[in-house]
Every structure is written in C-alpha cells, then in structure tokens.
Amino acid sequence: MMFIRGAGCAMAKETKFLRKKADKAERRARVTADAKISESLLNLAKAYRTQEEKKRR
C-alpha cells in the first residue's frame, strides 16, 4: 500500500472549504427576502454538505 505525504492534510482543507461554503450559503439564505433564492441557497448548502460527507469517507 502506498501512502502519499500530505494527502490527509489536503483532504482536511477540502472538507473545511466545503463546510465554509455551506455555512455561507445558509447564512445568505436566512437574510434573503426572496423565497426562491433562499430555497436555492439552501439547496446549494445541502449539496456542499453532501460533498463534504463524501470526502470524509
């Protein structure tokens, strides 16, 4: 089995990035007056969280 130095660190950075993007989308959804845009932002946040979960596995 081959190990790549720093691979765990890169994956941690990527999951942190996705988590931050999801948090930002959720915050924007809460302050947006337009219901369709708010729903779209919440769907985007959900997609980011799904990607984050996949990366952690």
Side-chain angles (χ1 to χ4, degrees):
M1 178 178 231
M2 181 187 291
F3 292 98
I4 300 171
R5 180 176 288 183
C9 182
M11 194 152 68
K13 287 181 182 180
E14 193 171 355
T15 57
K16 184 177 179 180
F17 171 79
L18 291 168
R19 190 176 318 116
K20 282 185 170 186
K21 297 292 269 187
D23 290 344
K24 285 182 182 181
E26 287 173 345
R27 281 196 303 272
R28 289 182 179 150
R30 285 194 296 266
V31 299
T32 301
D34 188 302
K36 286 185 180 182
I37 293 173
S38 181
E39 182 180 355
S40 180
L41 286 166
L42 289 173
N43 287 335
L44 181 63
K46 184 177 178 181
Y48 282 133
R49 296 216 186 271
T50 300
Q51 287 180 0
E52 177 194 359
E53 286 295 320
K54 288 181 181 179
K55 295 287 181 187
R56 279 199 268 164
R57 292 181 191 169

